[in-house]
Amino acid sequence: MSNPATVIAAGGVVWRERGGTRQVLLAHRPRYDDWSLPKGKLTAHEHVLLGARREIEEETGQRVVFGPSLGVQRYAIRKNGGTAEKLVHYWSAVPVDDGAFEPNDEVDEISWLSEDKARAKLSYPRDVDILDALDRVVPVVATVVVVRHSDAVKRKDWDGKDTLRPLSSTGAEVAERLSGVLASLGANRIISSDAERCVATVMPYAASLDRHIHLWPEISERGYDADPEGLRGLAERVWRPGKVTVVCSHRPVLPALSRELGLKVGKFATGSFLVAHRLADGKTLTERFSAP
């Protein structure tokens, strides 16, 4: 019998500061009588960040925003009479409100504990390894999310000005889903090329926050072609302490823009994005994601 397909799950180390002490949130699962980090399986076609956020909220009542990755667990599970690999992605996660926990079939108790007490209480060494990674990725002083615009109507099918070329129906759907992903990252500042296809990519999220989009012609294809040196000095304007800044631009511009931001970026598919976290020690942690 062939092995069942790999099971993909996601979750996080949910943490807060109380009285100068960092506390983390553990969940008790009655089915296994264990204490673990909140996590769960993704639904079909669910983006991993959206799945992680949903599972944490369902299990603990906490709505969170994500910081840097804490790693991926890989282990074998029993599935459909065979053995399958399970991959669990974890991120640093900070609550955005005081959610109310309601015991359920999956999790009947949660507990906020100091890191030392949490290490002692966790049932699995692999969870302790993930918890230990938290100290290496906090605090974050600034975050930048670099996005390539969603799929647009093809140039050959558009008779108007290229700057007015809109998203395709598929691109518009991706833009709507991207809104939830940006919410999971706590994005609170939005910069875009002034081209319609870029603006439309971030508009659903901006509308959900009632937030202004900062239009930068210099990061459009037309603006970059006219003056490639116009990108110089943008890093200081993009990296803002305490902010999670989204920057939406175009495939031909992204390599130069990313270099200006101090990032290494390869090819971007439409709707894909890179998340970069600048830490207090000067390090920058990056992670690539496909379009939602």
Side-chain angles (χ1 to χ4, degrees):
M1 179 183 294
S2 61
N3 288 342
T6 299
V7 175
I8 308 298
V13 175
V14 183
W15 64 276
R16 67 186 184 185
E17 297 283 349
R18 286 293 185 273
T21 299
R22 185 182 299 156
Q23 297 179 335
V24 297
L25 185 61
L26 305 188
H28 180 261
R29 302 183 299 174
R31 179 182 177 184
Y32 305 102
D33 190 23
D34 62 8
W35 285 92
S36 63
L37 302 171
K39 66 178 185 305
K41 292 183 291 186
L42 304 185
T43 61
H45 310 299
E46 186 175 35
H47 195 276
V48 65
L49 288 171
L50 294 179
R53 196 183 202 203
R54 174 186 55 76
E55 283 290 341
I56 289 172
E57 186 172 11
E58 288 178 359
E59 290 196 351
T60 69
Q62 301 292 315
R63 193 157 183 80
V64 301
V65 294
F66 293 120
S69 170
L70 299 177
V72 180
Q73 293 178 351
R74 293 175 171 84
Y75 52 93
I77 60 171
R78 298 291 297 174
K79 180 184 177 185
N80 299 334
T83 301
E85 183 180 43
K86 185 172 184 178
L87 301 183
V88 189
H89 300 260
Y90 286 97
W91 289 271
S92 164
V94 177
V96 294
D97 54 38
D98 294 324
F101 170 69
E102 294 185 6
N104 53 71
D105 292 339
E106 290 191 36
V107 175
D108 61 351
E109 184 181 356
I110 61 174
S111 183
W112 285 102
L113 299 169
S114 69
E115 289 182 286
D116 287 343
K117 290 182 178 179
R119 289 186 183 95
K121 199 175 188 67
L122 282 167
S123 299
Y124 306 106
R126 60 176 179 259
D127 284 354
V128 176
D129 291 340
I130 295 294
L131 174 57
D132 286 344
L134 184 64
D135 284 335
R136 300 194 293 269
V137 303
V138 294
V140 173
V141 298
T143 298
V144 172
V145 183
V146 181
V147 184
R148 182 184 172 189
H149 65 76
S150 296
D151 184 66
V153 170
K154 304 302 180 186
R155 294 179 196 267
K156 63 181 180 64
D157 297 328
W158 178 250
D159 294 330
K161 292 183 178 180
D162 187 64
T163 55
L164 300 179
R165 185 158 52 94
L167 297 181
S168 66
S169 58
T170 298
E173 292 172 357
V174 168
E176 290 291 343
R177 293 193 294 271
L178 181 65
S179 178
V181 172
L182 295 177
S184 75
L185 295 168
N188 51 22
R189 184 166 172 253
I190 308 169
I191 297 168
S192 174
S193 153
D194 60 352
E196 169 63 22
R197 54 194 180 275
C198 275
V199 175
T201 297
V202 293
M203 180 60 75
Y205 184 62
S208 73
L209 297 180
D210 193 21
R211 188 64 58 88
H212 174 71
I213 300 174
H214 301 274
L215 299 181
W216 288 7
E218 58 266 49
I219 65 173
S220 70
E221 287 191 63
R222 181 183 59 180
Y224 178 66
D225 287 343
D227 181 17
E229 297 301 311
L231 299 183
R232 291 190 178 276
L234 289 187
E236 293 183 4
R237 296 169 59 191
V238 172
W239 286 104
R240 290 288 181 84
K243 295 292 186 179
V244 179
T245 301
V246 178
V247 183
C248 186
S249 187
H250 309 256
R251 178 187 56 79
V253 185
L254 285 171
L257 176 60
S258 298
R259 287 194 298 271
E260 173 63 24
L261 297 178
L263 305 173
K264 293 182 179 180
V265 173
K267 294 182 178 180
F268 267 74
T270 53
S272 62
F273 57 99
L274 177 143
V275 183
H277 302 282
R278 182 167 288 175
L279 307 184
D281 62 6
K283 294 179 181 177
T284 300
L285 303 177
T286 61
E287 192 172 11
R288 289 285 296 265
F289 293 92
S290 59

